[in-house]
Amino acid sequence: MEKGVRIADLFRNEHGYVGKTALVQGWVRTKRDSKAGVSFIEVNDGSCLKSLQVIAEPDRGDYSGLLNKITTGSAILAEGTISESPGKGQSIELRAERIHLYGWADPALYPLQKKRHSFEYLRQIAHLRPRTNTIGAAARVRSRLSYAIHQFFQDLGFHYIHTPIITASNCEGAGEIFRVTTLDPAHPGASESEEAYRNDFFARPAFLTVSGQLQAEIYALALGTVYTFGPTFRAENSNTSRHLAEFWMVEPEMAFYDLEDDIDLAQTFIKKLVGVVLNDCREELEFFARFIEPELMGRLQTVAESAFEVIAYTEAVDILKKSAEQFTFPVEWGLDLQAEHERHLTERVFKKPVVIVNFPRSLKPFYMRVNDDERTVAAMDILVPGTGEIIGGSQREERLEMLLEQMRLKGISIDDYRWYIELREFGSVPHSGFGLGLERLVQFVTGIPNIREVIPFPRTPGHAEF
Ligand code: 4AD
Ligand code: MG
């Protein structure tokens, strides 16, 4: 099969291509015909935002019979000479000597028009929405960030661990878990009774993982520093712009790290990732700054340059209580911080990322290390302007007695977590880790307001098409 040059590479070295022949393959964004019989075809191949203008002059090639079939959405090949473009807004163009039509798109039916479509509409045509500027650009940024995440940890000598998707544990302790079963829900035997589970595939209740952390801890206490990076699932029935039922999380876990080391690593990590997109995804960021979030570049620069503010939960509550702002949700020691509180701290008070540490014990899962005050745990949440929480992490409870007490208090079955407890019985060490939500990160670096737009196929309550 013929293979051409990626349009991104053409533009990257445009002067080098002038006067030379090039072959491109992609999808037609628009076609305009002049009175003189010349057609101007915008071709986009998904390698970058910019489209290449193809000039079709019927006397230059034998494609005149094809031109009326070249419609928006059609897939074509164009081969010809690259020349400097006299037109405004583009540097080079391709004067076609040969055009091939791979697949036609019926203009009466093709769902993407030149006008801007709403994101809600695009979600209904998820098989075509990556052909739009915003969704395509978000997909490229997501890809670059995923690679940068691996690079960051591999460069530091962390080992990549594949933690299970199907698990019997519920790391975060919240009720929002998806069950995995082969029992027929219509069958009367599929109740919660032990008898019913005996007939189920795993012969016990099983779930889709909410976090790979507990299993990552096993490997951290053997290989030292590890990370897991994969899909996680939460049946949160909250239809917000920050929650998905299926999202990707990267979770490093480090032996011999305390909370301070954990925060330092997380901060270095975020700065590094922001630096990578500022450097490698310039075209996309400029597009997002222009059409989606005018404050984007300023926000990213701030994150790349300034030290994050670290404050205790108690201090955060004091600041919020003293604030003149009218919040919808109450602020009280012992209550969770809501999105509006997070935004107030990052966007009004500190105007940069804020790390909140030492949350009340009652608000956080059983595995977090209890502080000397016995009221709080060594937890940290990292909040960024615009998006709110992007990282949640903690130092883990490495002391056997304290872990057992936490489990008793929170009503967690010792039998179900025998393996996790044994890590504290045989060669336990202080250790820490955190989880970064990939979609929250992509939201932050692109300024895209709704999390559904930064994942190819969003899963939310009532939605699992495609
Ligand atoms: O704060 P969370 O719940 O922490 C954990 O799961 C820990 N086990 C992580 C660890 O210490 N290894 O989730 C971590 C991050 C959040 O800060 C957020 O970025 C993202 O995961 N997240 C979600 N992203 C999209 N949709 C959801 N429903 C999310 N829930 C959490
Ligand atoms: Mg959290």
Side-chain angles (χ1 to χ4, degrees):
M1 183 107 208
E2 288 181 286
K3 279 176 198 59
V5 57
R6 290 170 2 123
I7 291 174
D9 296 330
L10 258 185
F11 281 120
R12 208 169 286 134
N13 179 25
E14 48 193 26
H15 298 300
Y17 274 98
V18 171
K20 301 214 171 84
T21 297
L23 184 159
V24 298
Q25 293 156 305
W27 293 267
V28 175
R29 284 287 174 90
T30 58
K31 189 180 92 184
R32 188 164 57 79
D33 302 315
S34 79
K35 287 199 195 78
V38 179
S39 295
F40 300 90
I41 308 164
E42 295 286 327
V43 179
N44 188 284
D45 69 357
S47 62
C48 62
L49 261 170
K50 268 194 275 188
S51 299
L52 180 69
Q53 172 152 276
V54 171
I55 318 275
E57 298 148 289
D59 52 355
R60 276 179 77 92
D62 59 357
Y63 46 70
S64 58
L66 261 183
L67 284 181
N68 63 347
K69 279 258 167 191
I70 294 181
T71 52
T72 297
S74 298
I76 67 165
L77 170 156
E79 187 177 27
T81 315
I82 299 293
S83 54
E84 311 246 13
S85 176
K88 240 185 100 202
Q90 64 241 343
S91 47
I92 50 168
E93 58 192 25
L94 184 149
R95 299 185 65 193
E97 276 126 38
R98 183 164 72 99
I99 293 179
H100 173 73
L101 176 66
Y102 293 104
W104 181 62
D106 185 344
L109 301 174
Y110 188 59
L112 289 171
Q113 304 303 319
K114 197 175 158 57
K115 65 167 180 145
R116 270 221 242 174
H117 294 290
S118 74
F119 289 134
E120 290 75 16
Y121 170 72
L122 292 179
R123 269 179 239 138
Q124 297 165 24
I125 50 164
H127 54 303
L128 295 170
R129 70 175 190 154
R131 291 193 197 173
T132 64
N133 284 337
T134 305
I135 304 297
R140 284 188 296 272
V141 170
R142 184 183 171 108
S143 165
R144 184 65 192 92
L145 280 171
S146 302
Y147 181 46
I149 286 167
H150 282 292
Q151 278 179 315
F152 177 84
F153 289 117
Q154 294 286 335
D155 285 351
L156 289 175
F158 281 53
H159 304 285
Y160 178 31
I161 305 297
H162 295 111
T163 49
I165 305 285
I166 299 173
T167 164
S169 61
N170 172 14
C171 176
E172 294 307 294
E176 300 124 352
I177 43 178
F178 288 102
R179 237 166 239 288
V180 177
T181 175
T182 51
L183 294 178
D184 179 357
H187 192 273
S191 70
E192 298 262 328
S193 71
E194 263 190 42
E195 185 56 43
Y197 285 118
R198 249 197 284 284
N199 299 323
D200 204 350
F201 191 90
F202 297 108
R204 61 177 304 162
F207 311 95
L208 292 179
T209 185
V210 297
S211 160
Q213 175 199 320
L214 303 188
Q215 292 90 350
E217 282 185 53
I218 296 179
Y219 273 75
L221 295 198
L223 306 192
T225 49
V226 302
Y227 68 106
T228 174
F229 185 12
T232 44
F233 307 86
R234 295 189 189 179
E236 280 169 296
N237 212 350
S238 49
N239 245 315
T240 77
S241 59
R242 309 194 307 161
H243 291 90
L244 290 165
E246 177 178 299
F247 62 99
W248 283 65
M249 190 164 30
V250 52
E251 297 180 272
E253 190 68 37
M254 299 76 67
F256 313 109
Y257 268 54
D258 61 16
L259 187 68
E260 210 181 305
D261 301 326
D262 200 32
I263 296 170
D264 284 350
L265 181 73
Q267 189 172 161
T268 311
F269 180 48
I270 292 182
K271 282 175 184 290
K272 172 78 188 179
L273 296 174
V274 167
V276 166
V277 287
L278 279 170
N279 208 44
D280 295 357
C281 305
R282 208 69 219 187
E283 190 191 28
E284 282 80 10
L285 294 192
E286 280 161 11
F287 170 83
F288 290 124
R290 188 156 158 227
F291 293 106
I292 305 275
E293 173 56 68
E295 286 179 34
L296 185 65
M297 290 301 188
R299 265 182 205 163
L300 297 181
Q301 287 299 347
T302 309
V303 171
E305 286 155 18
S306 54
F308 296 5
E309 188 74 30
V310 181
I311 58 165
Y313 166 89
T314 305
E315 209 181 317
V317 168
D318 284 345
I319 294 172
L320 292 167
K321 279 185 127 170
K322 287 197 191 109
S323 145
E325 192 90 8
Q326 287 294 316
F327 296 116
T328 314
F329 290 92
V331 179
E332 208 55 64
W333 201 95
L335 295 182
D336 232 339
L337 300 181
Q338 301 294 327
E340 58 175 350
H341 308 136
E342 297 176 354
R343 296 196 66 151
H344 182 76
L345 293 170
T346 54
E347 290 165 38
R348 307 246 158 68
V349 182
F350 296 108
K351 299 187 167 56
K352 60 178 176 175
V354 177
V355 189
I356 302 189
V357 299
N358 302 333
F359 283 78
R361 205 166 154 173
S362 59
L363 286 181
K364 294 290 185 186
F366 75 97
Y367 56 73
M368 292 192 182
R369 192 177 198 278
V370 178
N371 287 327
D372 291 344
D373 64 13
E374 302 220 333
R375 297 172 71 209
T376 60
V377 284
M380 63 109 165
D381 275 6
I382 301 191
L383 321 176
V384 291
T387 311
E389 180 192 332
I390 61 168
I391 281 185
S394 64
Q395 183 167 342
R396 320 307 188 188
E397 185 54 79
E398 87 283 12
R399 300 161 296 184
L400 178 65
E401 280 316 310
M402 208 45 130
L403 180 67
L404 292 173
E405 188 192 312
Q406 279 278 80
M407 292 179 79
R408 264 194 300 273
L409 280 175
K410 294 191 185 275
I412 289 164
S413 155
I414 308 273
D415 281 345
D416 286 353
Y417 289 89
R418 200 58 254 163
W419 52 277
Y420 189 73
I421 295 163
E422 282 189 5
L423 288 177
R424 278 72 184 167
E425 286 172 343
F426 308 120
S428 188
V429 299
H431 62 288
S432 302
F434 63 82
L436 167 79
L438 178 65
E439 290 76 17
R440 297 266 178 98
L441 173 72
V442 181
Q443 266 191 293
F444 174 63
V445 302
T446 59
I448 290 178
N450 197 315
I451 196 164
R452 292 165 175 84
E453 269 62 77
V454 300
I455 187 165
F457 302 98
R459 270 79 181 93
T460 51
H463 291 284
E465 300 90 348
F466 310 102

